[in-house]
Amino acid sequence: MQRRFLQLADVAEILNISASQAYALVRNGELPAIKIGGRGQWRVESTVLESYIQRLYDETRAFVDAHPFGAGAEDEAAGD
């Protein structure tokens, strides 16, 4: 059975990012989470994480569609 809530360390591992990056995603509101317990530990619901990942896929697809050759303005400037 899949766990309903994940610790930020779990989120970091799943996304292959650092724990501080996972914390930043939560603190800036990009990844919804809750604080629980007396020490206020962060937890991310597994379904919320999956929705977040899907949203990133959708945003990436929109970016690729808008830049069909894979080079945004910043990429083109770096190549000069």
Side-chain angles (χ1 to χ4, degrees):
M1 180 176 170
Q2 184 178 353
R3 294 181 293 167
R4 181 173 179 179
F5 292 100
L6 303 169
Q7 297 177 0
L8 290 186
D10 299 325
V11 171
E13 184 176 333
I14 291 167
L15 295 177
N16 197 26
I17 60 175
S18 70
S20 61
Q21 288 172 313
Y23 179 74
L25 289 173
V26 168
R27 290 293 294 175
N28 72 20
E30 190 172 340
L31 178 60
I34 59 172
K35 284 182 82 170
I36 61 168
R39 295 184 356 207
Q41 296 181 355
W42 290 102
R43 296 293 185 267
V44 176
E45 196 163 356
S46 58
T47 57
V48 170
L49 179 59
E50 290 303 320
S51 294
Y52 171 75
I53 293 168
Q54 186 59 52
R55 187 176 85 229
L56 291 179
Y57 272 116
D58 295 342
E59 290 173 5
T60 301
R61 172 56 48 205
F63 175 83
V64 169
D65 289 347
H67 304 88
F69 300 111
E74 64 277 2
D75 294 336
E76 290 173 6
D80 290 338

